Amino acid sequence: MTNSSDGPSQAAHRDCFFTTDTVLGRPPCLCLSQSTALFLDFDGTLVEIADHPHDVVVSEFLPPLLVQLSRKLDGRLAIVTGRSIAALEALLGPISLAIAGSHGGEFRPAADAEIEPLAAPLPGAVVDELNRFARASGGLLVEPKPFSAAIHYRHHPEVLPNLRACTESLAAEFGLAIKHGKKVIEVTMPGSDKGSAVERFMALPAFDGAIPIFIGDDVTDEDAFAAVRRYDGEGVLVGAPRPTAATSRLDGVAEVHRWLEAGLEAVHKGDFRP
């Protein structure tokens, strides 16, 4: 399941772990030890996917749960998301966590660190063309980000062939990568993907020697599943079985919450639900 945006090296690294065996068991209990690093996707993993990205519902217990987990891991917890860091914090609040946003295009290595841009800004002409296509195709949702732009076709699946042609043309003209997700196509500046973000975190002194776990639900998380396996880590697929580089699976967002809470309760009896 290699996207057209993958370069030869990236695709080869991912494909060496990729399996069509969809029978995956549950991950082991989360161990909050000095040897664990935890990476979490956001949409479809920590919150349910909504028709509009702004309409997701964040449970009140989630931000404090994440902060407590990060403290128990001495900061070796990071959210790795396709959303911009600003958009994520608009939903979670100004949360004290390490974050890679925009598929790794922006990088905050620790809770109180400055945000580092790892890609050049997306040309405005790309967003203009996506908006033109969206208007001509029944009013698709275009989601501009600092280093990428997503166009959602959930309510207009019939436009997919033309949308593929549009984004492939933009990618060729501006040297962009293309990422396919759940009823969304995203064009991104080169050098931003979730696998690279995980590897950048793992190169930091705080993460050195840890065994990484990455939890995610979408095709855009496959690069990260492959990345953690290069460190003998665990990729956890969220949702229905499918071909994947993950090594275990949880059924959905609620199951992810329970798994995280159980790991915290093993070392600290606390209930963050309101």
Side-chain angles (χ1 to χ4, degrees):
M1 188 178 293
T2 300
N3 291 342
S4 60
S5 59
D6 292 330
S9 176
Q10 178 185 354
H13 284 159
R14 194 174 72 186
D15 288 348
C16 71
F17 298 116
F18 201 76
T19 176
T20 57
D21 181 4
T22 57
V23 182
L24 298 176
R26 285 178 55 84
C29 293
L30 174 60
C31 178
L32 300 178
S33 71
Q34 292 183 349
S35 63
T36 300
L38 182 60
F39 300 101
L40 301 165
D41 172 46
F42 185 69
D43 292 276
T45 297
L46 294 177
V47 296
E48 299 287 356
I49 293 174
D51 284 347
H52 193 290
H54 296 159
D55 293 337
V56 300
V57 176
V58 178
S59 300
E60 292 183 19
F61 77 90
L62 183 61
L65 172 63
L66 295 174
V67 170
Q68 287 292 320
L69 287 166
S70 180
R71 289 174 180 168
K72 291 297 181 182
L73 290 168
D74 295 325
R76 293 184 307 279
L77 179 148
I79 296 179
V80 181
T81 176
R83 289 182 183 263
S84 69
I85 293 178
L88 183 70
E89 290 197 323
L91 294 167
L92 287 177
I95 195 165
S96 296
L97 294 176
I99 303 173
S102 301
H103 296 285
E106 50 184 345
F107 188 79
R108 189 166 78 188
D112 300 317
E114 294 293 322
I115 297 173
E116 306 171 18
L118 301 182
L122 187 74
V126 175
V127 178
D128 291 342
E129 178 59 22
L130 291 178
N131 280 324
R132 185 207 62 76
F133 180 90
R135 289 191 299 269
S137 303
L140 307 184
L141 172 63
V142 177
E143 184 185 1
K145 306 176 188 180
F147 310 101
S148 65
I151 182 164
H152 299 259
Y153 59 94
R154 183 174 302 276
H155 297 297
H156 298 276
E158 71 281 359
V159 308
L160 180 56
N162 288 338
L163 178 56
R164 283 182 181 271
C166 174
T167 53
E168 287 169 3
S169 176
L170 288 171
E173 180 178 356
F174 291 94
L176 307 176
I178 299 175
K179 299 182 185 300
H180 296 266
K182 294 178 177 177
K183 304 301 182 181
V184 60
I185 296 180
E186 190 156 356
V187 289
T188 70
M189 296 299 287
S192 55
D193 68 78
K194 293 183 178 182
S196 297
V198 167
E199 291 182 339
R200 190 173 181 88
F201 277 117
M202 293 301 293
L204 297 175
F207 289 78
D208 184 43
I211 304 299
I213 302 168
F214 187 96
I215 307 179
D217 72 304
D218 209 344
V219 177
T220 56
D221 298 310
E222 290 297 333
D223 296 318
F225 291 152
V228 297
R229 291 183 69 169
R230 293 194 284 274
Y231 296 90
D232 296 323
E234 178 99 359
V236 183
L237 174 66
V238 180
R242 61 169 172 80
T244 181
T247 50
S248 58
R249 188 178 68 85
L250 292 168
D251 285 335
V253 171
E255 191 67 17
V256 173
H257 292 170
R258 286 191 287 269
W259 186 80
L260 294 173
E261 287 178 316
L264 187 62
E265 289 168 1
V267 293
H268 173 71
K269 296 295 182 181
D271 184 6
F272 294 95
R273 292 185 182 276

